[in-house]
Amino acid sequence: MIRRIIHIDEDKCTGCGLCAAACHEGAIAMVDGKAKLMREDYCDGLGDCLPACPVDAISFVEREAPAYNEAAVLESRRQKAHSGGGCPGHTLHSFRTAPAAAVSGGSQLAQWPCQLRLVPVNAPYFQGADLLIAADCSAYAYADFHSGFMAGKITLIGCPKLDEGDYTEKLTVLLRSNDIRSVTVTRMEVPCCGGLERAVRTALANAGKNIPLEVVTFSLNGSILSRKA
């Protein structure tokens, strides 16, 4: 049958996951860092996902598609409720760290998720935040990473060599959409980590905001090689 159904522009999609969370029918899922329409018969064509998308990657089209299957949607909801819901990796959490945590060696992670591919660009903890964007190896190389860099910051981690795609577009939307006070990038001395620094610098330029930036580079044995703006 010909009916109205959503279309996801993968070139625009930043992988924030907000559309998947907004889709009450469970028609959308995140696959390889992109939103995908997984079940056409789960899409009711009402478009709760459209306003959730911060980059206008979702639109309506009229095309051949199976009819909306309300019974299957209700059964899917029942099964998810019985099993405890979807993946907890996408559930937002904010943590309050104790004042003495940095001194005592306690965790300074202030939020979840912290992976760049999973974090939604309009999460409430970004407002007024000092942002730490860390190459994931840097936390293992530098012994006092929690107290020295994570304390008081919202932490995002990624690896430009292993993560699929580029972070620039998502970071641009994140920086443009939120009141970010400062950005710190921690990276290793290896060339592939340059991709993370380039993505942040490009995103800052694209966002059109004058946000203070510091880039800290670690040696392979964990010493600080340089700190630069």
Side-chain angles (χ1 to χ4, degrees), residues 8 17 19-20 23 26-39 90:
I8 301 172
C19 59
C23 179
I28 302 173
M30 305 307 296
V31 178
D32 295 330
K34 296 286 185 178
K36 302 279 188 180
L37 178 58
M38 305 299 292
R39 291 285 301 260
H90 289 79

Side-chain angles (χ1 to χ4, degrees), residues 108 110-111 125-133 149-156 174-175 179-185 211-212:
Q108 288 296 305
Q111 94 293 337
Y125 43 68
F126 285 131
Q127 293 301 324
D130 293 301
L131 195 61
L132 171 66
I133 302 176
F149 290 94
M150 290 174 61
K153 294 183 175 65
I154 295 298
T155 301
L156 300 179
L174 192 158
L175 293 168
D179 178 26
I180 303 296
R181 297 191 304 183
S182 68
V183 177
T184 301
V185 176
I211 301 174

